[in-house]
Every structure is written in C-alpha cells, then in structure tokens.
Amino acid sequence: VRSSPARARRRLESAASQQAAELYDTVVVPHWISLFAAPLLAQVPQGFRGQILDASAGTGHLSLELLRRVDGAARIVALEPDTTLLDLLRRRTTGAAGRQVFARAEAPPELGFGDEVFDLVVAAAFRAIADRACAAELRRVMAPGARLSVSTPLRGTFDEVLVERLL
C-alpha cells in the first residue's frame, strides 16, 4: 500500500514534533525547572492535601515534583494543550503517579471544571496570566482560601533559556 504525499507529510511533521518535544523535555526543562518552578515548589508544604491544578504542565516535571511533596490523598490535574507534550506527560505519569496525576488537553481561559474546585493552582513560566480572561478563569476554579502560585518570565527570558540550553 502506497502512502499519499499528505499522509507522508503528516508522519514527518509528527516525527519532527515528537523530536522537538523530547529535546524540550530533556534539555530545556531541567534548566527551566530550576529557574521558574523551584520558587513555586518552595511554597508547597510537605504533606499538602487537596486538589491541585498545574495550569501549564508541559511534559509533567512540575506535576511530578509536586507529587513528591503532597499527601497520598492529594490529586493533581495537569493541563497541557499541546498533544505531543501531553503524550510525554501521560507516559511519565503511568503507574502509581497515574493514580494521583490526571492529564488533560486544556488550557485557560476555557477550563472544563466547576467553580471552586482547586485548593492550589500553580503555573510555572506562565505567560498567559497577563490575560484578564485567563486570570479570571483560574480564580473561578479556585476554592475559597486557595493559593495561586505563578511564575512568569520577563519578556525574552524563556527565549534566552531556549537558546542558552540548545547551543
């Protein structure tokens, strides 16, 4: 069976996307975690209980770091709209982690949750927080007394991390 040019192009694009995601995951994210996620993790008390929303999950590194800090009853919902990154996140959270980390292909400002669901909302290197609709949506899903922990890069910062790590 011969493949059509369009099908061949889609397979090539998918392979390139997968390679880019794996490069991002192995080269960029470890450095990125130290810059943008470490300050967020420092604010999460050991043994935290409750529902956590990771609003910018990427490949799941922050979600897994959170998992190391939380109580066994805690649940983490990891959001990532990019399906290639989401696939890596899902592979990373199989087994025991998969019982506490739930990956969804979503991103603010349109979240499929009820009001006041999460006790903690985190987002590392999250550019969209400046968007009023996005900020309002995150607030809507936060339970009374919930904490919002966001790190956001300065203009150009994320690009500099990418260039520094890839060169």
Side-chain angles (χ1 to χ4, degrees), residues 90-108:
R90 285 184 172 140
R91 279 185 280 179
R92 179 168 279 126
T93 58
T94 58
R99 290 190 285 271
Q100 282 185 271
V101 179
F102 303 91
R104 292 177 60 156
E106 289 186 50

Side-chain angles (χ1 to χ4, degrees), residues 17 20 32 43 82 93 97 99 102 107-109 122 125 137 148 163-164:
S17 180
W32 169 88
Q43 296 179 35
D82 183 295
T93 58
R99 290 190 285 271
F102 303 91
V122 297
E137 185 69 350
L148 172 66
V163 169
E164 178 184 328

Side-chain angles (χ1 to χ4, degrees), residues 94-152:
T94 58
R99 290 190 285 271
Q100 282 185 271
V101 179
F102 303 91
R104 292 177 60 156
E106 289 186 50
E110 297 179 20
L111 300 178
F113 304 104
D115 295 347
E116 301 179 351
V117 174
F118 296 100
D119 304 300
L120 173 65
V121 175
V122 297
F126 194 55
R127 295 178 186 194
I129 196 67
D131 179 334
R132 288 181 190 262
C134 177
E137 185 69 350
L138 291 178
R139 179 66 192 110
R140 180 188 69 77
V141 301
M142 292 172 62
R147 171 183 255 161
L148 172 66
S149 290
V150 176
S151 66
T152 180

Side-chain angles (χ1 to χ4, degrees), residues 42-53:
Q43 296 179 35
V44 179
Q46 195 69 35
F48 181 86
R49 293 175 168 241
Q51 304 296 316
I52 301 170
L53 177 65

Side-chain angles (χ1 to χ4, degrees), residues 8-120:
R9 185 174 55 251
R10 282 193 303 271
R11 277 199 311 257
L12 184 59
E13 288 170 355
S14 177
S17 180
Q18 182 67 33
Q19 284 180 321
E22 289 173 4
L23 181 65
Y24 164 82
D25 187 55
T26 58
V27 177
V28 176
V29 172
H31 184 60
W32 169 88
I33 284 281
S34 68
L35 294 175
F36 299 111
L40 302 180
L41 290 167
Q43 296 179 35
V44 179
Q46 195 69 35
F48 181 86
R49 293 175 168 241
Q51 304 296 316
I52 301 170
L53 177 65
D54 181 350
S56 60
T59 58
H61 284 271
L62 178 58
S63 293
L64 289 174
E65 289 296 326
L66 284 165
L67 188 58
R68 290 182 181 94
R69 301 182 77 76
V70 301
D71 180 83
R75 297 289 177 259
I76 301 167
V77 177
L79 303 182
E80 177 51 53
D82 183 295
T83 57
T84 305
L85 297 179
L86 187 66
D87 287 344
L88 283 172
L89 188 159
R90 285 184 172 140
R91 279 185 280 179
R92 179 168 279 126
T93 58
T94 58
R99 290 190 285 271
Q100 282 185 271
V101 179
F102 303 91
R104 292 177 60 156
E106 289 186 50
E110 297 179 20
L111 300 178
F113 304 104
D115 295 347
E116 301 179 351
V117 174
F118 296 100
D119 304 300
L120 173 65

